[in-house]
Amino acid sequence: MDTPLSAKEYDELENILNQFQKENVMNVEGIEGLFTALISSPEMTQPNIYLREIWGDKGIPANDALQNDQETQDFMNLLMRHWNTVVNKLNGGGVFIPVFLKDPTGITNGNDWAQGYVRGVQLHQEDWSGLLQEKENANALIPIVALAHEHDPDPKKRTYDEPISQELRKQLIAGLSTGAKDIYKYFEPHRHQSALAAKAKQTFKRET
């Protein structure tokens, strides 16, 4: 389960998701953004919560894409392995490199990743309130929010009035990568405390 997905497996995962795009199902890029925020969050997120985000409140739908329990399990294994890959990337000492898809013109936009991340933050909005109130740490979110709302119909939510140039996009994507790692480190003590509290709540069982 710690083996990163191969290019072929990413394509397999994306092909399954693509069959539901008309139903607002997230793509692989959006899922990685969502996973990155949830893994960084102080509180652990159960799979049933993020599956509703991925599938738009429908759970895992059954159709030609997932014809039986085995195919559903295989799909879940791909998701779990990708979750673990994101964990390892955030824990690693190197640069955090997100998975981005290219648009039909071959350009990497980063919008879906950023939107997935914002959705992850919104799932634990109260837990993120401390970071959001600290200007220095909250700045790590600026490039993510800028890309998430680049095409928002509400101009008040857009960071830039003018279209984002390719040079600025490269800077925002670099900031997104750095910011995701910084936020993960910021919440590390919180996650540790949360894990200790969860462990303390476990039912004590006698040996005999």
Side-chain angles (χ1 to χ4, degrees):
M1 294 301 288
D2 285 331
T3 305
L5 300 186
S6 65
K8 182 179 179 181
E9 287 172 323
Y10 272 121
D11 289 342
E12 180 183 343
L13 185 57
E14 185 66 8
N15 286 337
I16 294 172
L17 295 166
N18 280 341
Q19 297 190 43
F20 302 94
Q21 286 304 298
K22 293 181 179 178
E23 301 178 38
N24 297 318
V25 171
M26 299 177 78
N27 60 20
V28 168
E29 180 180 321
I31 289 172
E32 170 154 316
L34 175 71
F35 281 2
T36 305
L38 296 182
I39 291 165
S40 302
S41 295
E43 295 293 331
M44 187 175 179
T45 306
Q46 297 299 326
N48 64 308
I49 302 296
Y50 63 69
L51 281 173
R52 285 202 296 269
E53 286 296 308
I54 292 171
W55 292 107
D57 256 349
K58 295 186 292 293
I60 297 182
N63 79 340
D64 293 340
L66 301 169
Q67 298 182 28
N68 52 54
D69 291 343
Q70 184 58 54
E71 291 189 3
T72 300
Q73 185 60 52
D74 291 344
F75 171 79
M76 286 300 299
N77 285 342
L78 292 176
L79 276 185
M80 288 293 94
R81 282 171 56 198
H82 189 49
W83 174 284
N84 292 340
T85 296
V86 176
V87 171
N88 292 333
K89 287 198 295 185
L90 289 168
N91 276 324
V95 177
F96 177 80
I97 302 177
V99 169
F100 292 129
L101 301 175
K102 292 184 178 181
D103 69 13
T105 64
I107 296 175
T108 298
N109 293 302
N111 302 120
D112 292 338
W113 195 101
Q115 289 166 5
Y117 194 98
V118 169
R119 285 171 68 172
V121 173
Q122 291 170 342
L123 280 176
H124 296 285
Q125 203 159 9
E126 186 175 339
D127 296 326
W128 284 67
S129 59
L131 179 141
L132 296 173
Q133 292 168 10
E134 298 177 18
K135 185 176 180 181
E136 183 177 346
N137 292 305
N139 284 341
L141 278 169
I142 289 176
I144 298 174
V145 172
L147 289 170
H149 295 290
E150 179 181 359
H151 304 294
D152 199 298
D154 183 354
K156 294 180 180 179
K157 293 183 179 181
R158 296 199 293 264
T159 305
Y160 302 99
D161 295 328
E162 300 296 325
I164 294 177
S165 66
Q166 283 307 303
E167 185 58 36
L168 177 56
R169 188 177 304 281
K170 289 179 182 178
Q171 295 174 17
L172 290 174
I173 288 175
L176 173 154
S177 177
T178 303
K181 197 76 176 278
D182 290 344
I183 292 170
Y184 178 78
K185 291 178 180 177
Y186 171 86
F187 279 126
E188 194 162 9
H190 302 76
R191 289 192 302 275
H192 181 65
Q193 290 297 322
S194 177
L196 289 177
K199 188 175 181 180
K201 290 180 181 178
Q202 291 179 355
T203 304
F204 175 75
K205 295 183 179 180
R206 296 182 183 274
E207 292 298 322
T208 58

